[in-house]
Amino acid sequence: QVQLVESGGGLVQAGGSLRLSCVASGSIFSINVMGWYRQAPGKQRELVAAISRSDDTNYAESVKGRFTISRDNAKSTVYLQMNSLKPEDTAVYYCKADRRAWSPGPAYWGQGTQVTVSS
């Protein structure tokens, strides 16, 4: 089992920055890709950014150039640096960890952290 704990959310004005952190504990060697997703009220959960064990990254078009995902395997932590925040970035942000191929099963999710961007 893997536990994911997010932190770093909060209230920020448009144009500001926040850094989210997600610490993984438990069977961390079973983790492959880690990512950040977000869900705004009345909308579906969507991918924001993801990073592989070899640091390959993938971003949603809406955050490219503003958000940066990074990973510290030694600390079992993934970060999301969010700059130039916009009101439309307001959502609950969730950390997700996909299992490696030899550890089949559902992905792990954190409990979420609220990000609110005021105009």
Side-chain angles (χ1 to χ4, degrees), residues 1-4 22-35 51-53 71 73 76-78 95-103 108:
Q1 289 294 321
V2 171
Q3 295 77 42
L4 303 174
C22 173
V23 179
S25 61
S27 302
I28 59 174
F29 293 106
S30 68
I31 295 173
N32 187 8
V33 175
M34 294 189 74
I51 185 167
S52 71
R53 293 179 66 88
R71 182 170 180 166
N73 288 324
S76 304
T77 302
V78 63
C95 179
K96 180 188 178 188
D98 291 320
R99 295 171 179 254
R100 297 178 76 174
W102 50 260
S103 179
Y108 301 104

Side-chain angles (χ1 to χ4, degrees), residues 1 3 7 17 19 30 34 38 43 46-47 51 53 63 65-66 73 79 92 96 107 110:
Q1 289 294 321
Q3 295 77 42
S7 61
S17 298
R19 188 173 86 150
S30 68
M34 294 189 74
R38 66 186 180 188
K43 294 189 177 181
E46 62 177 2
L47 171 70
I51 185 167
R53 293 179 66 88
V63 306
R66 299 188 299 122
N73 288 324
Y79 304 97
V92 178
K96 180 188 178 188

Side-chain angles (χ1 to χ4, degrees), residues 19-84:
R19 188 173 86 150
L20 305 183
S21 299
C22 173
V23 179
S25 61
S27 302
I28 59 174
F29 293 106
S30 68
I31 295 173
N32 187 8
V33 175
M34 294 189 74
W36 289 95
Y37 286 69
R38 66 186 180 188
Q39 188 167 19
K43 294 189 177 181
Q44 289 189 332
R45 192 172 296 189
E46 62 177 2
L47 171 70
V48 176
I51 185 167
S52 71
R53 293 179 66 88
S54 56
D55 290 339
D56 294 322
T57 58
N58 181 36
Y59 294 93
E61 285 296 326
S62 60
V63 306
K64 281 183 179 179
R66 299 188 299 122
F67 291 10
T68 302
I69 190 170
S70 60
R71 182 170 180 166
D72 185 336
N73 288 324
K75 295 182 179 179
S76 304
T77 302
V78 63
Y79 304 97
L80 185 67
Q81 178 66 44
M82 305 185 295
N83 299 329
S84 302

